[in-house]
mmCIF file of all heavy atoms in Angstrom:
data_model
loop_
_atom_site.group_PDB
_atom_site.id
_atom_site.type_symbol
_atom_site.label_atom_id
_atom_site.label_comp_id
_atom_site.label_asym_id
_atom_site.label_seq_id
_atom_site.Cartn_x
_atom_site.Cartn_y
_atom_site.Cartn_z
ATOM 1 N N THR A 31 -179.857 155.230 51.298
ATOM 2 C CA THR A 31 -180.018 154.647 52.623
ATOM 3 C C THR A 31 -179.485 153.221 52.561
ATOM 4 O O THR A 31 -179.873 152.446 51.685
ATOM 5 C CB THR A 31 -181.492 154.629 53.054
ATOM 6 O OG1 THR A 31 -181.993 155.970 53.077
ATOM 7 C CG2 THR A 31 -181.632 154.033 54.443
ATOM 8 N N ILE A 32 -178.590 152.888 53.472
ATOM 9 C CA ILE A 32 -177.970 151.559 53.497
ATOM 10 C C ILE A 32 -178.443 150.834 54.749
ATOM 11 O O ILE A 32 -178.326 151.356 55.857
ATOM 12 C CB ILE A 32 -176.439 151.668 53.466
ATOM 13 C CG1 ILE A 32 -176.006 152.481 52.232
ATOM 14 C CG2 ILE A 32 -175.792 150.286 53.444
ATOM 15 C CD1 ILE A 32 -174.522 152.725 52.152
ATOM 16 N N VAL A 33 -178.991 149.645 54.561
ATOM 17 C CA VAL A 33 -179.630 148.896 55.634
ATOM 18 C C VAL A 33 -178.954 147.537 55.796
ATOM 19 O O VAL A 33 -178.689 146.854 54.808
ATOM 20 C CB VAL A 33 -181.127 148.680 55.334
ATOM 21 C CG1 VAL A 33 -181.820 147.964 56.475
ATOM 22 C CG2 VAL A 33 -181.828 150.003 55.029
ATOM 23 N N ASN A 34 -178.693 147.153 57.035
ATOM 24 C CA ASN A 34 -178.145 145.824 57.313
ATOM 25 C C ASN A 34 -179.176 144.976 58.041
ATOM 26 O O ASN A 34 -179.441 145.163 59.216
ATOM 27 C CB ASN A 34 -176.868 145.914 58.160
ATOM 28 C CG ASN A 34 -176.317 144.532 58.485
ATOM 29 O OD1 ASN A 34 -176.595 143.557 57.773
ATOM 30 N ND2 ASN A 34 -175.543 144.434 59.537
ATOM 31 N N ASN A 35 -179.758 144.016 57.332
ATOM 32 C CA ASN A 35 -180.686 143.062 57.932
ATOM 33 C C ASN A 35 -180.052 141.689 58.091
ATOM 34 O O ASN A 35 -180.764 140.702 58.325
ATOM 35 C CB ASN A 35 -181.963 142.955 57.091
ATOM 36 C CG ASN A 35 -182.887 144.148 57.289
ATOM 37 O OD1 ASN A 35 -183.001 144.678 58.393
ATOM 38 N ND2 ASN A 35 -183.530 144.579 56.217
ATOM 39 N N CYS A 36 -178.723 141.629 57.948
ATOM 40 C CA CYS A 36 -178.024 140.357 58.132
ATOM 41 C C CYS A 36 -177.887 140.042 59.627
ATOM 42 O O CYS A 36 -178.042 140.918 60.480
ATOM 43 C CB CYS A 36 -176.635 140.414 57.495
ATOM 44 S SG CYS A 36 -176.640 140.761 55.725
ATOM 45 N N LYS A 37 -177.555 138.817 59.938
ATOM 46 C CA LYS A 37 -177.361 138.394 61.325
ATOM 47 C C LYS A 37 -175.932 138.654 61.780
ATOM 48 O O LYS A 37 -175.527 138.181 62.840
ATOM 49 C CB LYS A 37 -177.711 136.913 61.473
ATOM 50 C CG LYS A 37 -179.177 136.609 61.197
ATOM 51 C CD LYS A 37 -179.469 135.133 61.352
ATOM 52 C CE LYS A 37 -180.947 134.832 61.075
ATOM 53 N NZ LYS A 37 -181.243 133.376 61.213
ATOM 54 N N GLU A 38 -175.176 139.378 60.991
ATOM 55 C CA GLU A 38 -173.791 139.696 61.309
ATOM 56 C C GLU A 38 -173.518 141.152 60.960
ATOM 57 O O GLU A 38 -174.251 141.773 60.187
ATOM 58 C CB GLU A 38 -172.841 138.797 60.506
ATOM 59 C CG GLU A 38 -173.039 138.923 58.991
ATOM 60 C CD GLU A 38 -172.200 137.928 58.205
ATOM 61 O OE1 GLU A 38 -171.002 137.811 58.513
ATOM 62 O OE2 GLU A 38 -172.753 137.276 57.297
ATOM 63 N N THR A 39 -172.469 141.713 61.538
ATOM 64 C CA THR A 39 -172.064 143.080 61.214
ATOM 65 C C THR A 39 -171.555 143.142 59.778
ATOM 66 O O THR A 39 -170.847 142.253 59.316
ATOM 67 C CB THR A 39 -170.968 143.563 62.180
ATOM 68 O OG1 THR A 39 -171.488 143.563 63.507
ATOM 69 C CG2 THR A 39 -170.506 144.973 61.829
ATOM 70 N N VAL A 40 -171.936 144.192 59.079
ATOM 71 C CA VAL A 40 -171.485 144.413 57.705
ATOM 72 C C VAL A 40 -170.756 145.753 57.645
ATOM 73 O O VAL A 40 -171.232 146.751 58.191
ATOM 74 C CB VAL A 40 -172.677 144.408 56.721
ATOM 75 C CG1 VAL A 40 -172.208 144.786 55.319
ATOM 76 C CG2 VAL A 40 -173.352 143.041 56.705
ATOM 77 N N TRP A 41 -169.596 145.769 56.986
ATOM 78 C CA TRP A 41 -168.834 146.997 56.759
ATOM 79 C C TRP A 41 -169.042 147.398 55.298
ATOM 80 O O TRP A 41 -168.373 146.876 54.402
ATOM 81 C CB TRP A 41 -167.355 146.763 57.024
ATOM 82 C CG TRP A 41 -166.982 146.619 58.468
ATOM 83 C CD1 TRP A 41 -166.415 147.572 59.272
ATOM 84 C CD2 TRP A 41 -167.124 145.444 59.289
ATOM 85 N NE1 TRP A 41 -166.199 147.071 60.534
ATOM 86 C CE2 TRP A 41 -166.628 145.765 60.580
ATOM 87 C CE3 TRP A 41 -167.622 144.156 59.069
ATOM 88 C CZ2 TRP A 41 -166.621 144.853 61.619
ATOM 89 C CZ3 TRP A 41 -167.619 143.244 60.111
ATOM 90 C CH2 TRP A 41 -167.121 143.595 61.370
ATOM 91 N N PRO A 42 -169.988 148.324 55.007
ATOM 92 C CA PRO A 42 -170.218 148.714 53.618
ATOM 93 C C PRO A 42 -168.988 149.384 53.002
ATOM 94 O O PRO A 42 -168.306 150.178 53.664
ATOM 95 C CB PRO A 42 -171.383 149.707 53.704
ATOM 96 C CG PRO A 42 -172.049 149.390 54.997
ATOM 97 C CD PRO A 42 -170.940 148.988 55.917
ATOM 98 N N GLY A 43 -168.716 149.045 51.774
ATOM 99 C CA GLY A 43 -167.710 149.744 50.994
ATOM 100 C C GLY A 43 -168.403 150.593 49.953
ATOM 101 O O GLY A 43 -169.360 150.145 49.319
ATOM 102 N N ILE A 44 -167.961 151.833 49.787
ATOM 103 C CA ILE A 44 -168.553 152.752 48.807
ATOM 104 C C ILE A 44 -167.422 153.365 48.004
ATOM 105 O O ILE A 44 -166.524 153.982 48.571
ATOM 106 C CB ILE A 44 -169.355 153.871 49.501
ATOM 107 C CG1 ILE A 44 -170.419 153.282 50.424
ATOM 108 C CG2 ILE A 44 -169.995 154.788 48.464
ATOM 109 C CD1 ILE A 44 -171.146 154.318 51.245
ATOM 110 N N VAL A 54 -166.601 154.721 54.703
ATOM 111 C CA VAL A 54 -167.048 153.425 55.191
ATOM 112 C C VAL A 54 -167.527 153.555 56.627
ATOM 113 O O VAL A 54 -167.103 154.438 57.362
ATOM 114 C CB VAL A 54 -165.910 152.390 55.104
ATOM 115 C CG1 VAL A 54 -164.806 152.719 56.076
ATOM 116 C CG2 VAL A 54 -166.434 150.983 55.350
ATOM 117 N N PHE A 55 -168.413 152.680 57.029
ATOM 118 C CA PHE A 55 -168.874 152.616 58.396
ATOM 119 C C PHE A 55 -169.350 151.201 58.646
ATOM 120 O O PHE A 55 -169.703 150.473 57.729
ATOM 121 C CB PHE A 55 -170.013 153.608 58.632
ATOM 122 C CG PHE A 55 -170.927 153.771 57.455
ATOM 123 C CD1 PHE A 55 -171.947 152.870 57.212
ATOM 124 C CD2 PHE A 55 -170.728 154.807 56.561
ATOM 125 C CE1 PHE A 55 -172.772 153.004 56.106
ATOM 126 C CE2 PHE A 55 -171.549 154.953 55.456
ATOM 127 C CZ PHE A 55 -172.562 154.056 55.222
ATOM 128 N N ALA A 56 -169.352 150.785 59.898
ATOM 129 C CA ALA A 56 -169.814 149.448 60.263
ATOM 130 C C ALA A 56 -171.282 149.515 60.648
ATOM 131 O O ALA A 56 -171.708 150.391 61.390
ATOM 132 C CB ALA A 56 -168.985 148.908 61.422
ATOM 133 N N LEU A 57 -172.078 148.592 60.131
ATOM 134 C CA LEU A 57 -173.487 148.502 60.469
ATOM 135 C C LEU A 57 -173.737 147.178 61.173
ATOM 136 O O LEU A 57 -173.555 146.114 60.588
ATOM 137 C CB LEU A 57 -174.364 148.589 59.214
ATOM 138 C CG LEU A 57 -174.393 149.917 58.450
ATOM 139 C CD1 LEU A 57 -175.317 149.798 57.251
ATOM 140 C CD2 LEU A 57 -174.829 151.054 59.355
ATOM 141 N N LYS A 58 -174.168 147.257 62.425
ATOM 142 C CA LYS A 58 -174.550 146.044 63.137
ATOM 143 C C LYS A 58 -175.938 145.604 62.660
ATOM 144 O O LYS A 58 -176.613 146.313 61.923
ATOM 145 C CB LYS A 58 -174.547 146.304 64.642
ATOM 146 C CG LYS A 58 -173.175 146.640 65.205
ATOM 147 C CD LYS A 58 -173.229 146.886 66.712
ATOM 148 C CE LYS A 58 -171.853 147.221 67.255
ATOM 149 N NZ LYS A 58 -171.874 147.472 68.725
ATOM 150 N N THR A 59 -176.364 144.417 63.088
ATOM 151 C CA THR A 59 -177.662 143.888 62.685
ATOM 152 C C THR A 59 -178.780 144.882 62.995
ATOM 153 O O THR A 59 -178.889 145.380 64.116
ATOM 154 C CB THR A 59 -177.943 142.564 63.414
ATOM 155 O OG1 THR A 59 -176.901 141.635 63.118
ATOM 156 C CG2 THR A 59 -179.275 141.974 62.983
ATOM 157 N N GLY A 60 -179.574 145.212 61.977
ATOM 158 C CA GLY A 60 -180.698 146.122 62.148
ATOM 159 C C GLY A 60 -180.370 147.594 62.022
ATOM 160 O O GLY A 60 -181.281 148.421 62.036
ATOM 161 N N GLN A 61 -179.101 147.949 61.865
ATOM 162 C CA GLN A 61 -178.735 149.363 61.767
ATOM 163 C C GLN A 61 -178.892 149.894 60.344
ATOM 164 O O GLN A 61 -178.780 149.154 59.363
ATOM 165 C CB GLN A 61 -177.303 149.580 62.243
ATOM 166 C CG GLN A 61 -177.137 149.499 63.747
ATOM 167 C CD GLN A 61 -175.768 149.933 64.213
ATOM 168 O OE1 GLN A 61 -174.774 149.787 63.505
ATOM 169 N NE2 GLN A 61 -175.704 150.472 65.421
ATOM 170 N N THR A 62 -179.127 151.196 60.260
ATOM 171 C CA THR A 62 -179.340 151.892 58.995
ATOM 172 C C THR A 62 -178.550 153.189 58.991
ATOM 173 O O THR A 62 -178.411 153.834 60.021
ATOM 174 C CB THR A 62 -180.835 152.206 58.797
ATOM 175 O OG1 THR A 62 -181.586 150.990 58.796
ATOM 176 C CG2 THR A 62 -181.081 152.924 57.469
ATOM 177 N N ALA A 63 -178.034 153.565 57.834
ATOM 178 C CA ALA A 63 -177.307 154.830 57.706
ATOM 179 C C ALA A 63 -177.618 155.464 56.360
ATOM 180 O O ALA A 63 -178.024 154.791 55.414
ATOM 181 C CB ALA A 63 -175.806 154.614 57.866
ATOM 182 N N GLY A 64 -177.456 156.793 56.287
ATOM 183 C CA GLY A 64 -177.681 157.515 55.047
ATOM 184 C C GLY A 64 -176.378 157.980 54.438
ATOM 185 O O GLY A 64 -175.380 158.177 55.139
ATOM 186 N N ILE A 75 -171.493 149.971 45.636
ATOM 187 C CA ILE A 75 -171.666 149.741 47.065
ATOM 188 C C ILE A 75 -171.679 148.236 47.284
ATOM 189 O O ILE A 75 -172.348 147.500 46.553
ATOM 190 C CB ILE A 75 -172.980 150.359 47.578
ATOM 191 C CG1 ILE A 75 -172.983 151.877 47.379
ATOM 192 C CG2 ILE A 75 -173.197 150.029 49.051
ATOM 193 C CD1 ILE A 75 -174.318 152.534 47.694
ATOM 194 N N TRP A 76 -170.954 147.774 48.285
ATOM 195 C CA TRP A 76 -170.951 146.345 48.595
ATOM 196 C C TRP A 76 -170.740 146.159 50.091
ATOM 197 O O TRP A 76 -170.466 147.100 50.826
ATOM 198 C CB TRP A 76 -169.866 145.623 47.796
ATOM 199 C CG TRP A 76 -168.458 145.881 48.274
ATOM 200 C CD1 TRP A 76 -167.707 145.094 49.115
ATOM 201 C CD2 TRP A 76 -167.627 147.000 47.940
ATOM 202 N NE1 TRP A 76 -166.464 145.654 49.323
ATOM 203 C CE2 TRP A 76 -166.386 146.826 48.617
ATOM 204 C CE3 TRP A 76 -167.810 148.134 47.150
ATOM 205 C CZ2 TRP A 76 -165.349 147.748 48.518
ATOM 206 C CZ3 TRP A 76 -166.771 149.049 47.058
ATOM 207 C CH2 TRP A 76 -165.570 148.852 47.724
ATOM 208 N N GLY A 77 -170.877 144.929 50.552
ATOM 209 C CA GLY A 77 -170.704 144.631 51.963
ATOM 210 C C GLY A 77 -169.462 143.798 52.216
ATOM 211 O O GLY A 77 -169.166 142.871 51.467
ATOM 212 N N ARG A 78 -168.743 144.151 53.282
ATOM 213 C CA ARG A 78 -167.597 143.359 53.731
ATOM 214 C C ARG A 78 -167.984 142.615 55.001
ATOM 215 O O ARG A 78 -168.690 143.161 55.858
ATOM 216 C CB ARG A 78 -166.381 144.257 53.986
ATOM 217 C CG ARG A 78 -165.902 144.984 52.743
ATOM 218 C CD ARG A 78 -164.736 145.908 53.046
ATOM 219 N NE ARG A 78 -165.158 147.062 53.825
ATOM 220 C CZ ARG A 78 -164.309 147.966 54.319
ATOM 221 N NH1 ARG A 78 -162.998 147.824 54.137
ATOM 222 N NH2 ARG A 78 -164.758 148.994 54.994
ATOM 223 N N LEU A 133 -172.916 138.299 49.942
ATOM 224 C CA LEU A 133 -174.090 138.705 50.711
ATOM 225 C C LEU A 133 -175.261 138.980 49.771
ATOM 226 O O LEU A 133 -175.064 139.490 48.662
ATOM 227 C CB LEU A 133 -173.811 139.983 51.512
ATOM 228 C CG LEU A 133 -172.955 139.903 52.769
ATOM 229 C CD1 LEU A 133 -172.711 141.319 53.311
ATOM 230 C CD2 LEU A 133 -173.611 139.046 53.843
ATOM 231 N N VAL A 235 -180.342 150.595 49.642
ATOM 232 C CA VAL A 235 -179.522 149.412 49.389
ATOM 233 C C VAL A 235 -179.535 148.574 50.660
ATOM 234 O O VAL A 235 -179.056 149.013 51.708
ATOM 235 C CB VAL A 235 -178.082 149.802 49.013
ATOM 236 C CG1 VAL A 235 -177.233 148.557 48.771
ATOM 237 C CG2 VAL A 235 -178.079 150.695 47.775
ATOM 238 N N SER A 236 -180.113 147.380 50.577
ATOM 239 C CA SER A 236 -180.294 146.547 51.761
ATOM 240 C C SER A 236 -179.499 145.255 51.649
ATOM 241 O O SER A 236 -179.527 144.587 50.622
ATOM 242 C CB SER A 236 -181.775 146.202 51.952
ATOM 243 O OG SER A 236 -182.565 147.351 52.089
ATOM 244 N N PHE A 237 -178.813 144.913 52.726
ATOM 245 C CA PHE A 237 -178.136 143.627 52.821
ATOM 246 C C PHE A 237 -179.051 142.639 53.535
ATOM 247 O O PHE A 237 -179.630 142.952 54.583
ATOM 248 C CB PHE A 237 -176.825 143.764 53.598
ATOM 249 C CG PHE A 237 -175.825 144.687 52.954
ATOM 250 C CD1 PHE A 237 -175.565 145.931 53.497
ATOM 251 C CD2 PHE A 237 -175.157 144.317 51.799
ATOM 252 C CE1 PHE A 237 -174.651 146.787 52.916
ATOM 253 C CE2 PHE A 237 -174.245 145.169 51.198
ATOM 254 C CZ PHE A 237 -173.986 146.407 51.761
ATOM 255 N N ALA A 263 -181.051 158.077 62.605
ATOM 256 C CA ALA A 263 -180.063 157.374 61.785
ATOM 257 C C ALA A 263 -178.911 158.302 61.483
ATOM 258 O O ALA A 263 -179.064 159.517 61.421
ATOM 259 C CB ALA A 263 -180.691 156.883 60.477
ATOM 260 N N SER A 264 -177.733 157.719 61.306
ATOM 261 C CA SER A 264 -176.568 158.511 60.916
ATOM 262 C C SER A 264 -176.735 158.970 59.485
ATOM 263 O O SER A 264 -177.349 158.293 58.667
ATOM 264 C CB SER A 264 -175.295 157.674 61.036
ATOM 265 O OG SER A 264 -175.139 157.193 62.348
ATOM 266 N N TYR A 266 -174.422 160.769 56.216
ATOM 267 C CA TYR A 266 -173.111 161.172 55.746
ATOM 268 C C TYR A 266 -173.265 161.941 54.436
ATOM 269 O O TYR A 266 -174.045 161.541 53.570
ATOM 270 C CB TYR A 266 -172.225 159.941 55.476
ATOM 271 C CG TYR A 266 -171.996 159.090 56.690
ATOM 272 C CD1 TYR A 266 -172.968 158.182 57.112
ATOM 273 C CD2 TYR A 266 -170.828 159.193 57.424
ATOM 274 C CE1 TYR A 266 -172.762 157.402 58.237
ATOM 275 C CE2 TYR A 266 -170.608 158.407 58.541
ATOM 276 C CZ TYR A 266 -171.589 157.520 58.944
ATOM 277 O OH TYR A 266 -171.382 156.749 60.044
#
Side-chain angles (χ1 to χ4, degrees):
T31 300
I32 304 176
V33 183
N34 178 23
N35 284 323
C36 301
K37 296 180 180 179
E38 58 186 313
T39 298
V40 174
W41 287 259
I44 304 174
V54 68
F55 35 82
L57 293 180
K58 296 180 180 180
T59 302
Q61 286 189 330
T62 300
I75 298 172
W76 73 97
R78 298 178 289 174
L133 285 175
V235 179
S236 301
F237 298 107
S264 302
Y266 300 80

